[in-house]
Amino acid sequence: MLGDALLVAPVLEPGARLWSVYLPDGDWVEASTGKPFQGGRLIDVDVRERTAVPLFVAAERWESLRPVLVG
């Protein structure tokens, strides 16, 4: 967690295709895709073609942080 609104999920295995990430309770948005996720569970993220570290944003903060994160 980076503060209370961001979850950074670094991929620690070279060549990984999927990366398991635990999202805390609540609603989350994957910053690179805008895809929503329900928290309180483990999800698998496709990391085969990643150019950035997987980053999730608490849904209630997504609109205010989107301009900074997406550009």
Side-chain angles (χ1 to χ4, degrees):
M1 293 292 300
L2 183 60
D4 61 355
L6 300 175
L7 186 142
V8 181
V11 178
L12 304 174
E13 290 181 23
R17 301 173 69 102
L18 289 177
W19 197 248
S20 293
V21 177
Y22 179 79
L23 294 176
D25 286 334
D27 295 321
W28 294 87
V29 176
E30 186 177 19
S32 65
T33 64
K35 183 177 176 182
F37 288 90
Q38 183 176 9
R41 65 189 180 106
L42 193 64
I43 64 167
D44 287 327
V45 179
D46 183 348
V47 295
R48 287 177 287 191
E49 297 185 30
R50 288 277 174 181
T51 57
V53 174
L55 175 66
F56 295 85
V57 181
E60 66 269 9
R61 299 286 305 278
W62 174 238
E63 289 305 317
S64 64
L65 291 173
R66 182 191 330 202
V68 176
L69 299 172
V70 178

